[in-house]
Amino acid sequence: MPIINNDILIKNQMKGYLDSLNIDYNINVNILDNPNYEPLDFYFPEQKIAIDTASMWADNHSFPGENPNLKVQSRYFIKKIMAYQNIGIKLMVFWEHWMANTIQWETIKDIIGHTFGNSNIKVFARKCDIVELYTSEERLKSFYNENALFKNRGGTFAHGLIYQNELIMAMTCREKLDSEGQTVLLIERAACKHRYNIPGGVSRLIKNLNNFDYDYLQFMTVTDYALGGGLVASGFEGGKMQPTLWQLQCHKIDPKADLYKSTLLESRGRGSYQEYKQDIVDEIQGRVYTAGTKEYRLYKNKDATKPKTPLVSLENHINEPV
């Protein structure tokens, strides 16, 4: 089945932006002596930062419609990212469907620029005012839609930082109970205004949450490009890493050339063999796993009861077969 492959297109798109940073980098670099991992698309040796662009067609895919016996590599990107972290290299992975969205592409450029210290405006959190926000108000929705890689999600409480009458950082939380009956304050979304660097911003908003009655805070980072170093510095404990599954359906767009284009369908948590067989029935042609998320927790009372079962981390299993 001939399907449009945007792998070269997104690599050129990323290269165009990276060239504008005027920082030396190498392409197609193989640092790990491990045949399971593809070479890095872009590597900045002086900064020890690497960037991969991931095509929905070319990277880490399985197609039940064509080969039901093909096993999807669900932990590929998690293990690759952790393998490079263990030798002191920060690897960030950016997916094709993110880069194809104009607003998300601007956010990706902001994430990369911030990583290299290229944020134009530095504002210390102590110079800002804290403001409570309604989770349904348009100002908050617009802020996330313009400055976060993912759209606004609902919650029970939101607050942010105001500087010179402008919202420059926001955080939305939702209260829930975990399986052991502990009260959890889940940080659903947090974002900083593009081109801003706000030292102490996250810490100040987290401290403001002490007014709430909870056992621990929970934050899920997007492992593809963030491993939560700032959260660890703020006292969070890193835990479980979980890949995210995306499904692909293919549609014919050129009957004469027999050419197909893949359409992305988001789905989280599907991965059992029974669901895999159901994908074939549903004519789901592809399954792709991203690096997903990593859980972080901050206990309000350090002496509080911790989970009976320790948080599971894939960091101890990066040398297993992919």
Side-chain angles (χ1 to χ4, degrees):
M1 180 186 296
I3 302 179
I4 294 177
N5 185 351
N6 292 322
D7 189 49
I8 296 178
L9 178 66
I10 60 175
K11 281 179 172 54
N12 288 337
Q13 179 181 345
M14 181 62 75
K15 183 179 185 302
Y17 170 66
L18 297 180
D19 287 344
S20 72
L21 299 178
N22 294 318
I23 304 175
D24 292 335
Y25 65 85
N26 301 318
I27 61 173
N28 200 35
V29 178
N30 193 355
I31 297 176
L32 294 175
D33 185 20
N34 189 331
N36 289 321
Y37 301 118
E38 294 291 327
L40 299 170
D41 291 337
F42 306 94
Y43 178 56
F44 297 79
E46 184 174 344
Q47 294 80 10
K48 290 189 174 298
I49 293 173
I51 294 174
D52 272 355
T53 56
S55 165
M56 299 305 295
W57 171 254
D59 290 281
N60 185 32
H61 57 263
S62 171
F63 299 93
E66 296 185 0
N67 185 359
N69 297 317
L70 183 62
K71 185 178 180 180
V72 66
Q73 301 177 23
S74 62
R75 298 181 179 182
Y76 175 84
F77 282 106
I78 288 178
K79 291 186 176 183
K80 184 176 182 180
I81 289 169
M82 294 308 306
Y84 275 103
Q85 185 191 45
N86 282 352
I87 60 173
I89 296 174
K90 177 181 176 65
L91 171 59
M92 298 185 291
V93 180
F94 296 103
W95 287 83
E96 170 188 343
H97 59 290
W98 298 345
M99 295 174 63
N101 182 290
T102 302
I103 295 177
Q104 287 181 303
W105 173 236
E106 290 301 314
T107 301
I108 288 172
K109 291 192 292 184
D110 193 69
I111 291 170
I112 296 172
H114 185 78
T115 301
F116 285 107
N118 288 347
S119 299
N120 298 331
I121 307 171
K122 187 174 184 178
V123 178
F124 288 93
R126 63 176 180 269
K127 295 183 177 181
C128 303
D129 295 320
I130 295 179
V131 60
E132 292 191 12
L133 303 165
Y134 292 104
T135 57
S136 60
E137 67 177 277
E138 287 302 319
R139 175 173 60 163
L140 182 61
K141 292 180 180 179
S142 297
F143 183 83
Y144 283 135
N145 291 340
E146 293 171 5
N147 298 287
L149 192 56
F150 305 105
K151 292 184 178 180
N152 175 57
R153 296 182 67 175
T156 55
F157 170 80
H159 59 172
L161 296 180
I162 296 290
Y163 179 70
Q164 295 182 348
N165 297 318
E166 183 178 23
L167 181 65
I168 62 173
M169 179 175 279
M171 180 181 288
T172 300
C173 305
R174 176 168 58 87
E175 189 179 69
K176 66 175 186 177
L177 293 177
D178 68 8
S179 59
E180 297 181 357
Q182 296 187 93
T183 301
V184 182
L185 203 56
L186 170 64
I187 301 176
E188 286 272 19
R189 187 73 76 238
C192 176
K193 187 174 177 61
H194 283 179
R195 296 181 297 280
Y196 273 76
N197 176 21
I198 311 174
V202 173
S203 296
R204 189 170 182 201
L205 289 179
I206 287 174
K207 287 180 181 178
N208 191 51
L209 296 175
N210 287 333
N211 297 323
F212 285 80
D213 184 18
Y214 65 86
D215 292 305
Y216 64 88
L217 296 175
Q218 184 183 50
F219 197 112
M220 309 297 291
T221 62
V222 181
T223 315
D224 295 87
Y225 60 85
L227 285 176
L231 293 174
V232 173
S234 297
F236 279 77
E237 299 177 8
K240 183 170 60 177
M241 302 175 73
Q242 180 68 37
T244 296
L245 171 64
W246 297 78
Q247 299 169 310
L248 302 176
Q249 281 187 323
C250 302
H251 306 277
K252 183 175 286 190
I253 62 174
D254 188 343
K256 294 182 181 180
D258 194 30
L259 187 63
Y260 292 77
K261 181 178 181 180
S262 60
T263 299
L264 186 67
L265 305 174
E266 181 177 8
S267 177
R268 298 179 183 273
R270 290 170 57 94
S272 71
Y273 180 74
Q274 187 63 38
E275 291 167 332
Y276 183 74
K277 300 295 287 186
Q278 185 61 43
D279 280 351
I280 300 175
V281 175
D282 295 339
E283 297 183 347
I284 304 293
Q285 287 91 348
R287 294 158 61 91
V288 177
Y289 280 94
T290 73
T293 58
K294 181 172 181 176
E295 179 190 11
Y296 285 87
R297 293 183 181 183
L298 177 64
Y299 286 83
K300 191 172 186 180
N301 181 356
K302 293 183 179 181
D303 297 325
T305 302
K306 300 294 180 68
K308 296 177 182 178
T309 304
L311 297 179
V312 178
S313 173
L314 294 179
E315 297 173 18
N316 299 322
H317 305 285
I318 62 171
N319 293 319
E320 294 179 357
V322 178

